[in-house]
Amino acid sequence: MSGGPGDKGANAEDSPWSVKTVAMKIAGWIDRLGSIWITGQIAELSARPGSRVAFVTLRDTAENVSLQIMCPMKLLKENPEIKEGSEVVVHGKPSFYTARGTLAIWADQIRAVGVGELLARIERLRKQLAAEGLTDPRRKRPLPFLPAGVGLVTGRASAAQQDVLSIARARWPQVRFHLREVAVQGPGAAQAVIAALRELQGLSGVEVIILARGGGSVEDLLTFSEEALCRAVAACPVPVVSAIGHETDRPLVDDVADVRAATPTDAAKRTVPDVAVERSRLHEMRGRSAAALRAWVDREQARLAALAARPVLADPHAMLRARADGLVGARDALRRSILGRLERERHAVAASAARLAALGPAATLARGYALVQSADGELLRDPSQTKTGDRLRIRLAGGVLGAMTTKEIP
């Protein structure tokens, strides 16, 4: 590090700079910055009567960072709308006071940010959040039907707080609230709301968080359009209900919250069910269930009665008896058929036997015929089959005779 006003040479461990040298170098660097434009919110304004200089603490609207501003008293007199909590634009030259080691800005211009400029800035941020997907309806989470605990971030003893608590407890007396009262307007309000939101989301019993505030002007509701708060709501692991102002008010936190309620009263109704309505629904459902059950029983009884009236169930043995009678008749018919067939076959066999007996050799022999066979059993039909001296067998009806040929008979 070297160079700049009051340079005392190179800086090193064996040649460190003095405090004065460092302070003078810082003052030189800041002096080279020249005049700048700054925007922020007035956290504190000190303007003593008779003093020619006013002291203003200018705070960043998103972060916990502040600067000291000094300006001629006449600038405040020329702009009476400038007060604590106002959004302002300042033109001035920063200076580092070496004796005290502090930074301050001497302002030569200061003006309040107009409503149109605020709205334009809000719309630019709204488009940026939408481009990042933080306002996408698909990332919205449904609220639990009956939350075990409800976190409520609201102003101290505010009408919005009373509306939420009274309506919710009238609807469900057992509902449990975790209340965090914070500043909802002015310097540091956004950081206070973020701190309360993070504290509540860390509690195990909190299942939904409500951000509630009454109505007001664009400037009054500016806290709930701060980028840091919007991102904290979008990152909250617990569903968040935004109930800021009236139905026509639309701060940016409404876009990133899981549910946007038109009013704090609407937020209580959306978050906590009405015990009377739920009991009425239960009673109605019980009645409908009982009626449906009775109708079903009646239909089943009618079906059973119709089934019982059918002949097969009214007298199941009748069908068996009919089947048994049919089997007996079929059996008798089969027996008669078999017996008749046997009788016919018996007669046919007898007739065949008679024909065989009539046509057989035994009957022929009985009529006086004989069978002549050679000694080796060959049936002889012609005398030429024998010669003199051949032994013959003659079969008669009464038995067999032995014979021998003696001579030929012409």
Side-chain angles (χ1 to χ4, degrees), residues 149-169:
V150 179
L152 176 59
V153 181
T154 184
R156 185 171 291 103
S158 63
Q161 177 187 139
Q162 297 303 316
D163 287 347
V164 173
L165 294 179
S166 60
I167 295 298
R169 286 169 177 162

mmCIF file of all heavy atoms in Angstrom, residues 149-169:
data_model
loop_
_atom_site.group_PDB
_atom_site.id
_atom_site.type_symbol
_atom_site.label_atom_id
_atom_site.label_comp_id
_atom_site.label_asym_id
_atom_site.label_seq_id
_atom_site.Cartn_x
_atom_site.Cartn_y
_atom_site.Cartn_z
ATOM 1 N N GLY A 149 -49.724 -24.318 16.269
ATOM 2 C CA GLY A 149 -49.331 -22.993 16.734
ATOM 3 C C GLY A 149 -49.287 -22.022 15.571
ATOM 4 O O GLY A 149 -48.922 -22.390 14.454
ATOM 5 N N VAL A 150 -49.657 -20.757 15.839
ATOM 6 C CA VAL A 150 -49.673 -19.726 14.807
ATOM 7 C C VAL A 150 -48.752 -18.601 15.251
ATOM 8 O O VAL A 150 -48.907 -18.052 16.355
ATOM 9 C CB VAL A 150 -51.094 -19.174 14.576
ATOM 10 C CG1 VAL A 150 -51.077 -18.084 13.509
ATOM 11 C CG2 VAL A 150 -52.038 -20.290 14.178
ATOM 12 N N GLY A 151 -47.782 -18.265 14.427
ATOM 13 C CA GLY A 151 -46.922 -17.118 14.699
ATOM 14 C C GLY A 151 -47.572 -15.853 14.172
ATOM 15 O O GLY A 151 -48.129 -15.843 13.074
ATOM 16 N N LEU A 152 -47.494 -14.777 14.949
ATOM 17 C CA LEU A 152 -48.104 -13.502 14.546
ATOM 18 C C LEU A 152 -47.078 -12.401 14.736
ATOM 19 O O LEU A 152 -46.611 -12.154 15.851
ATOM 20 C CB LEU A 152 -49.355 -13.218 15.378
ATOM 21 C CG LEU A 152 -50.033 -11.867 15.129
ATOM 22 C CD1 LEU A 152 -50.469 -11.730 13.667
ATOM 23 C CD2 LEU A 152 -51.237 -11.679 16.058
ATOM 24 N N VAL A 153 -46.719 -11.739 13.643
ATOM 25 C CA VAL A 153 -45.807 -10.600 13.669
ATOM 26 C C VAL A 153 -46.616 -9.366 13.346
ATOM 27 O O VAL A 153 -47.195 -9.273 12.255
ATOM 28 C CB VAL A 153 -44.654 -10.770 12.654
ATOM 29 C CG1 VAL A 153 -43.720 -9.581 12.722
ATOM 30 C CG2 VAL A 153 -43.901 -12.064 12.910
ATOM 31 N N THR A 154 -46.669 -8.426 14.277
ATOM 32 C CA THR A 154 -47.512 -7.255 14.102
ATOM 33 C C THR A 154 -47.011 -6.118 14.984
ATOM 34 O O THR A 154 -46.104 -6.302 15.804
ATOM 35 C CB THR A 154 -48.974 -7.593 14.453
ATOM 36 O OG1 THR A 154 -49.800 -6.452 14.195
ATOM 37 C CG2 THR A 154 -49.109 -7.986 15.901
ATOM 38 N N GLY A 155 -47.603 -4.956 14.798
ATOM 39 C CA GLY A 155 -47.236 -3.808 15.612
ATOM 40 C C GLY A 155 -47.718 -3.968 17.054
ATOM 41 O O GLY A 155 -48.650 -4.711 17.351
ATOM 42 N N ARG A 156 -47.056 -3.250 17.935
ATOM 43 C CA ARG A 156 -47.373 -3.351 19.365
ATOM 44 C C ARG A 156 -48.769 -2.774 19.629
ATOM 45 O O ARG A 156 -49.058 -1.628 19.322
ATOM 46 C CB ARG A 156 -46.310 -2.618 20.178
ATOM 47 C CG ARG A 156 -46.451 -2.753 21.683
ATOM 48 C CD ARG A 156 -45.254 -2.188 22.405
ATOM 49 N NE ARG A 156 -44.074 -3.029 22.169
ATOM 50 C CZ ARG A 156 -43.098 -2.724 21.330
ATOM 51 N NH1 ARG A 156 -43.155 -1.604 20.626
ATOM 52 N NH2 ARG A 156 -42.070 -3.541 21.180
ATOM 53 N N ALA A 157 -49.642 -3.623 20.211
ATOM 54 C CA ALA A 157 -51.008 -3.217 20.592
ATOM 55 C C ALA A 157 -51.748 -2.583 19.418
ATOM 56 O O ALA A 157 -52.514 -1.634 19.585
ATOM 57 C CB ALA A 157 -50.962 -2.260 21.779
ATOM 58 N N SER A 158 -51.538 -3.104 18.231
ATOM 59 C CA SER A 158 -52.151 -2.534 17.038
ATOM 60 C C SER A 158 -53.557 -3.085 16.825
ATOM 61 O O SER A 158 -53.934 -4.133 17.376
ATOM 62 C CB SER A 158 -51.291 -2.845 15.810
ATOM 63 O OG SER A 158 -51.236 -4.249 15.610
ATOM 64 N N ALA A 159 -54.318 -2.370 16.000
ATOM 65 C CA ALA A 159 -55.660 -2.841 15.667
ATOM 66 C C ALA A 159 -55.594 -4.139 14.866
ATOM 67 O O ALA A 159 -56.443 -5.018 15.020
ATOM 68 C CB ALA A 159 -56.398 -1.758 14.863
ATOM 69 N N ALA A 160 -54.565 -4.268 14.027
ATOM 70 C CA ALA A 160 -54.410 -5.502 13.250
ATOM 71 C C ALA A 160 -54.210 -6.690 14.180
ATOM 72 O O ALA A 160 -54.769 -7.774 13.967
ATOM 73 C CB ALA A 160 -53.230 -5.369 12.293
ATOM 74 N N GLN A 161 -53.412 -6.492 15.235
ATOM 75 C CA GLN A 161 -53.192 -7.567 16.208
ATOM 76 C C GLN A 161 -54.491 -7.969 16.892
ATOM 77 O O GLN A 161 -54.799 -9.162 17.010
ATOM 78 C CB GLN A 161 -52.179 -7.103 17.261
ATOM 79 C CG GLN A 161 -51.924 -8.110 18.352
ATOM 80 C CD GLN A 161 -51.043 -7.543 19.456
ATOM 81 O OE1 GLN A 161 -51.281 -7.791 20.643
ATOM 82 N NE2 GLN A 161 -50.032 -6.778 19.087
ATOM 83 N N GLN A 162 -55.257 -6.997 17.313
ATOM 84 C CA GLN A 162 -56.529 -7.295 17.982
ATOM 85 C C GLN A 162 -57.496 -7.988 17.037
ATOM 86 O O GLN A 162 -58.220 -8.911 17.453
ATOM 87 C CB GLN A 162 -57.144 -5.988 18.529
ATOM 88 C CG GLN A 162 -56.304 -5.315 19.595
ATOM 89 C CD GLN A 162 -56.028 -6.239 20.762
ATOM 90 O OE1 GLN A 162 -56.927 -6.941 21.246
ATOM 91 N NE2 GLN A 162 -54.787 -6.251 21.238
ATOM 92 N N ASP A 163 -57.516 -7.560 15.782
ATOM 93 C CA ASP A 163 -58.417 -8.203 14.817
ATOM 94 C C ASP A 163 -58.071 -9.677 14.647
ATOM 95 O O ASP A 163 -58.948 -10.552 14.688
ATOM 96 C CB ASP A 163 -58.321 -7.494 13.459
ATOM 97 C CG ASP A 163 -58.988 -6.126 13.470
ATOM 98 O OD1 ASP A 163 -59.730 -5.849 14.436
ATOM 99 O OD2 ASP A 163 -58.739 -5.344 12.538
ATOM 100 N N VAL A 164 -56.797 -9.974 14.445
ATOM 101 C CA VAL A 164 -56.381 -11.365 14.223
ATOM 102 C C VAL A 164 -56.688 -12.214 15.448
ATOM 103 O O VAL A 164 -57.270 -13.306 15.356
ATOM 104 C CB VAL A 164 -54.879 -11.429 13.878
ATOM 105 C CG1 VAL A 164 -54.412 -12.886 13.824
ATOM 106 C CG2 VAL A 164 -54.619 -10.751 12.539
ATOM 107 N N LEU A 165 -56.297 -11.737 16.630
ATOM 108 C CA LEU A 165 -56.469 -12.543 17.845
ATOM 109 C C LEU A 165 -57.941 -12.758 18.174
ATOM 110 O O LEU A 165 -58.357 -13.875 18.508
ATOM 111 C CB LEU A 165 -55.753 -11.866 19.019
ATOM 112 C CG LEU A 165 -54.223 -11.785 18.919
ATOM 113 C CD1 LEU A 165 -53.644 -11.061 20.129
ATOM 114 C CD2 LEU A 165 -53.614 -13.170 18.794
ATOM 115 N N SER A 166 -58.737 -11.690 18.098
ATOM 116 C CA SER A 166 -60.149 -11.821 18.478
ATOM 117 C C SER A 166 -60.911 -12.719 17.500
ATOM 118 O O SER A 166 -61.681 -13.593 17.921
ATOM 119 C CB SER A 166 -60.802 -10.435 18.547
ATOM 120 O OG SER A 166 -60.732 -9.778 17.285
ATOM 121 N N ILE A 167 -60.691 -12.545 16.206
ATOM 122 C CA ILE A 167 -61.403 -13.357 15.221
ATOM 123 C C ILE A 167 -60.966 -14.821 15.318
ATOM 124 O O ILE A 167 -61.798 -15.746 15.321
ATOM 125 C CB ILE A 167 -61.164 -12.828 13.797
ATOM 126 C CG1 ILE A 167 -61.761 -11.426 13.636
ATOM 127 C CG2 ILE A 167 -61.750 -13.767 12.759
ATOM 128 C CD1 ILE A 167 -63.267 -11.363 13.816
ATOM 129 N N ALA A 168 -59.665 -15.045 15.439
ATOM 130 C CA ALA A 168 -59.159 -16.427 15.487
ATOM 131 C C ALA A 168 -59.673 -17.144 16.735
ATOM 132 O O ALA A 168 -60.095 -18.304 16.665
ATOM 133 C CB ALA A 168 -57.641 -16.423 15.466
ATOM 134 N N ARG A 169 -59.632 -16.500 17.883
ATOM 135 C CA ARG A 169 -60.070 -17.156 19.114
ATOM 136 C C ARG A 169 -61.578 -17.330 19.159
ATOM 137 O O ARG A 169 -62.074 -18.248 19.823
ATOM 138 C CB ARG A 169 -59.576 -16.349 20.312
ATOM 139 C CG ARG A 169 -58.071 -16.522 20.523
ATOM 140 C CD ARG A 169 -57.498 -15.545 21.515
ATOM 141 N NE ARG A 169 -56.063 -15.818 21.714
ATOM 142 C CZ ARG A 169 -55.212 -14.958 22.244
ATOM 143 N NH1 ARG A 169 -55.639 -13.754 22.634
ATOM 144 N NH2 ARG A 169 -53.943 -15.279 22.386
#
